Amino acid sequence: MATVESIITQRRAAILQRWEEEAKSAPASRGLSPFELSNKLSRYLDLLGRWDDPHGERRRQLTNYLSARLREGYRLNDIVEELMLLGTCVTLEVSAAGGDDGVDASELARLQATLREDAGATIEVVSRYLLDDVQVEKQYLRRLQSLAGATLINSEREGALTDHLREVLELAMESVGGQTAAILFHDKEREVLWVAASAGLVEEPLMHYVTDPGSGSFVAEVAARRDETTAVLDAETTELEVSELLRQSGIHSLLGVRLPARLPLLGVMYIGMTERRPFSLNEVQRLESFGAQLTQHLEQARLHARLKATVEDLRIDQVLRERFISVLAHDLRNPLSVIRSAAHLLDQQADKLGDLRDLPVRALRNALRADVMIRDLLDVLRIRAGHELPLTLAECDLLEVARGACRELADVYGDRFVLHGETPVRGTWSADALHRALWNLGANAVKYGSPETPIVVTVRGLEEGAEVVVRNQGPVIGEADRNTLFEPFAQRSGDEGAAREGWGLGLTLVQSCARAHGGSVAVASDPGEGTAFTIKIPFDSRPFQSRAAAP
């Protein structure tokens, strides 16, 4: 005559299919994949008809099932209904066997008794968990969160992560009543698990115990199980490989969790007790919660470390790049000075050069342009380092400064510049810096404006200071370009040809000049009105320079 165990073995697929059809329609199961729905319960089913279970394997699988359901948000009634449904499905399949395969009535009675016993244990364990241990678990997880925050703050201190992990292990031991604990990390390159921290009775030397994830060791078994904890009742007698320190320590029961449960392996954490007993549902649930929270903190710590390393690499790269540019710019000025001196000497003897008499002027003009570009680059490096432009202040006439800038721009770009302003506008400013700013605005107007229209420069005095406007006709500056217009090395989109004519530093220097004078620069660009850059500065810029120099 057949036994319940043999019928379950023979008709296992049919039992699970019948159970899944009913269970998946329950509201609590919505959102679970077929694997998540039946995986834990199928392992419990395999042990349901085995009456001889001295090691409590059936109860351990029941505990794994309960733990998974609690994580998935099931209520107590939902869990009990699933268990009762499984009993019904088993009974129906056993009865369906019929004939010579019929099962003795005592076997069926024993099956029902086992199901009632496990349902009663479920009610007791889950009720106790829901009433008491949820609050306790929250306390431990809050303490774990506090430890993680302190570690990120003190992450620059050598050994901070190891100390943090040891404190986490001590907290985990306290939460489940364990006497030893360890965390092993997975080295992807060498494909080994190594001890990162340990606490309690067995303090494994860091990096001392190293094992292959496929070696058949206890921690390898923990790493291999993606969806449940791994338990050992006696570390002294288990066939799984454990370290000699652990085997000889008096530790018996072991419980390990994979970090994380399903994603690529980060590591393993385990707890050990001197008692020989299975871990309770509460202890399993708490250690799983610890593992999930710890995984998040480790990922945060890893991302934090990676971000710090990236920021430091960028900082070093920026320092080296700016130092290189600074040295290069200074070194270029010496040969440029020689070229300018030679051009001046040749220009004084232009009559002897015949058809080449214009070469000294062209050489001098380009040497001056290169010197201006180098000066701009050095000043931008100063600005990016957080310094204001150094100004030499004296009383000057802004209208006269603008007139000189327009005259020099006309020498280079042709007679396109129109100056509006009838009366002097005097103040305490840096004539050299303002001349340079107006030159940059005029050159920018030539670069991006319509070549057939004039560029108008207007100087006027206001009640609170002075204003100079440089306006040109041409394509409107888009909103996206306006947001980055004054940033170093910025170029307007869609105009690669113009972008090649400079480094994109002119407007950065214009803005820095205005700010160093205690003023501002604004841009307006509208169809039909053209593009206008407006610089406004107070009449006396000395107070702003003293404040800039104070730091």
Side-chain angles (χ1 to χ4, degrees), residues 180-192:
T180 195
I183 293 177
L184 293 90
F185 283 157
H186 179 218
D187 186 329
K188 294 181 180 179
E189 294 183 0
R190 296 190 297 153
E191 271 302 313
V192 295

Side-chain angles (χ1 to χ4, degrees), residues 89-100:
C89 294
V90 172
T91 302
L92 290 173
E93 287 298 326
V94 168
S95 301
D100 294 336

Side-chain angles (χ1 to χ4, degrees), residues 191-491:
E191 271 302 313
V192 295
L193 290 160
W194 57 275
V195 176
S198 59
L201 288 179
V202 185
E203 294 203 11
E204 299 272 11
L206 301 188
M207 293 293 295
H208 172 72
Y209 180 68
V210 179
T211 183
D212 187 327
S215 64
S217 66
F218 167 64
V219 292
E221 185 72 11
V222 176
R225 295 193 179 185
R226 287 176 170 264
D227 57 342
E228 64 178 42
T229 56
T230 303
V232 166
L233 283 179
D234 197 338
E236 289 184 0
T237 60
T238 180
E239 295 180 357
L240 294 172
E241 175 197 322
V242 295
S243 72
E244 285 303 313
L245 284 174
L246 187 61
R247 193 179 291 275
Q248 299 172 10
S249 64
I251 293 293
H252 294 289
S253 299
L254 295 173
L255 181 66
V257 293
R258 188 182 192 274
L259 307 175
R262 294 183 180 85
L263 297 176
L265 179 64
L266 178 63
V268 164
M269 178 173 66
Y270 70 79
I271 298 290
M273 295 192 303
T274 54
E275 298 177 74
R276 287 188 181 91
R277 68 166 176 83
F279 285 81
S280 68
L281 170 65
N282 303 338
E283 292 164 343
V284 171
Q285 178 74 16
R286 194 166 296 154
L287 194 60
E288 287 179 335
S289 297
F290 254 77
Q293 290 286 337
L294 179 59
T295 299
Q296 293 181 13
H297 299 324
L298 291 174
E299 287 294 338
Q300 288 177 358
R302 185 174 67 174
L303 291 174
H304 181 72
R306 187 182 300 172
L307 180 60
K308 281 183 57 181
T310 301
V311 170
E312 180 63 15
D313 288 344
L314 290 174
R315 188 192 67 81
I316 293 173
D317 180 66
Q318 180 180 351
V319 169
L320 292 176
R321 183 171 60 251
E322 292 184 353
R323 186 176 300 168
F324 168 77
I325 292 173
S326 180
V327 171
L328 179 64
H330 279 101
D331 288 349
L332 281 175
R333 280 190 155 180
N334 289 328
L336 281 174
S337 297
V338 174
I339 293 172
R340 288 167 59 185
S341 298
H344 273 298
L345 291 174
L346 288 173
D347 189 44
Q348 292 175 3
Q349 304 181 38
D351 294 340
K352 300 179 181 180
L353 297 177
D355 295 338
L356 302 178
R357 64 169 55 92
D358 62 330
L359 285 181
V361 176
R362 291 164 58 189
L364 183 60
R365 181 182 300 161
N366 282 279
L368 287 171
R369 182 170 179 270
D371 191 59
V372 168
M373 292 178 68
I374 291 172
R375 180 185 174 192
D376 289 351
L377 185 58
L378 292 174
D379 282 341
V380 166
L381 291 180
R382 176 192 296 271
I383 293 164
R384 293 185 67 176
H387 302 292
E388 293 280 0
L389 283 179
L391 302 182
T392 301
L393 301 178
E395 186 177 346
C396 61
D397 179 5
L398 182 58
L399 182 61
E400 191 60 33
V401 171
R403 184 174 288 111
C406 289
R407 188 163 47 244
E408 289 189 12
L409 285 164
D411 290 341
V412 177
Y413 296 109
D415 191 18
R416 295 182 52 195
F417 296 86
V418 177
L419 178 62
H420 289 169
E422 298 180 357
T423 58
V425 180
R426 307 193 67 82
T428 304
W429 304 307
S430 168
D432 179 61
L434 291 172
H435 180 282
R436 182 183 179 193
L438 293 177
W439 166 277
N440 282 326
L441 287 177
N444 193 70
V446 171
K447 186 187 301 183
Y448 295 106
S450 297
E452 302 85 7
T453 58
I455 297 167
V456 179
V457 180
T458 304
V459 178
R460 63 172 66 95
L462 307 173
E463 290 185 5
E464 66 280 5
E467 175 184 85
V468 57
V469 180
V470 178
R471 182 183 300 275
N472 67 276
Q473 301 298 321
V476 173
I477 302 175
E479 185 175 351
D481 286 327
R482 290 187 213 180
N483 293 332
T484 60
L485 204 57
F486 296 100
E487 293 180 6
F489 308 106
Q491 301 284 2

Side-chain angles (χ1 to χ4, degrees), residues 126-141:
V126 174
S127 297
R128 187 169 65 248
Y129 170 78
L130 294 175
L131 289 173
D132 301 323
D133 290 329
V134 168
Q135 294 305 111
V136 175
E137 182 175 314
K138 287 179 179 178
Q139 293 177 15
Y140 282 113
L141 293 180

Side-chain angles (χ1 to χ4, degrees), residues 11-65:
R11 305 181 70 85
R12 181 180 187 273
I15 293 171
L16 286 175
Q17 183 178 0
R18 185 190 293 267
W19 179 85
E20 287 175 7
E21 287 299 322
E22 296 292 333
K24 69 182 182 181
S25 62
S29 67
R30 291 174 184 168
L32 293 182
S33 67
F35 176 82
E36 291 171 325
L37 181 64
S38 62
N39 179 46
K40 296 290 194 302
L41 199 67
S42 65
R43 299 183 186 185
Y44 169 73
L45 172 64
D46 293 337
L47 301 166
L48 192 55
R50 300 179 188 177
W51 313 130
D52 184 18
D53 187 21
H55 300 298
E57 183 64 18
R58 188 188 81 252
R59 186 59 61 87
R60 188 177 77 83
Q61 290 297 341
L62 177 64
T63 298
N64 285 335
Y65 161 72

